[in-house]
Amino acid sequence: MRVGQGKAGSLARRDIKGVVDFAYLEGFAAGDETVVDEVLELFREQSVIWGAMLAPEHEGWRDAVHTIKGAARGVGAFQLGDVCQACEGAGPSGLGSVRDALDEALHDIAAYAHERALKSLKSPRPGR
């Protein structure tokens, strides 16, 4: 499919790298789009806090990595969860990989949210 053709939101879909399994999240939320949006927004907000802790000199880096691992798996960011698990075993030398994987997951989440926003703009609203 070429850019500009196909379903609504295809322009944002091209930016999704596939590091988050959104079908998993949608299934977990039983298709409730409000729940999906809330979970992803919470993940993004918390990532700011966790990301600031991903430095070897921060005494809470292990807790941050462990928390990210669980949250990532909960939203379908299984690759990020795996990287966090590896870092738990490797120690602070794995923090760069965690930061990179977190950035990739957040990129996918932003592209997914953008696609959903575009789709909602093109969908007719009830009563109109």
Side-chain angles (χ1 to χ4, degrees):
M1 182 182 318
R2 285 183 293 182
V3 175
Q5 293 181 341
K7 295 186 227 179
S10 61
L11 292 175
R13 169 80 47 196
R14 73 172 184 222
D15 294 328
I16 296 175
K17 297 177 182 178
V19 297
V20 178
D21 183 348
F22 295 108
Y24 167 83
L25 177 59
E26 291 165 354
F28 185 75
D32 187 330
E33 293 182 8
T34 302
V35 171
V36 170
D37 291 341
E38 289 175 2
V39 167
L40 292 176
E41 182 59 26
L42 182 60
F43 184 84
R44 285 188 293 209
E45 290 172 1
Q46 292 297 310
S47 292
V48 173
I49 296 166
W50 303 325
M53 297 171 68
L54 296 176
E57 63 275 4
H58 194 289
E59 66 182 57
W61 73 263
R62 288 183 193 275
D63 293 332
V65 169
H66 185 74
T67 301
I68 293 168
K69 177 178 74 173
R73 290 180 173 160
V75 301
F78 299 114
Q79 292 177 8
L80 172 57
D82 293 346
V83 169
C84 289
Q85 185 169 345
C87 181
E88 286 178 321
S93 64
L95 289 173
S97 295
V98 172
R99 285 190 300 270
D100 291 344
L102 179 59
D103 286 345
E104 288 179 4
L106 290 170
H107 178 272
D108 262 17
I109 290 168
Y112 175 81
H114 183 229
E115 175 186 16
R116 288 171 46 94
L118 289 174
K119 188 176 181 180
S120 73
L121 290 173
K122 294 181 179 185
S123 297
R125 294 183 187 164
R128 287 193 173 192

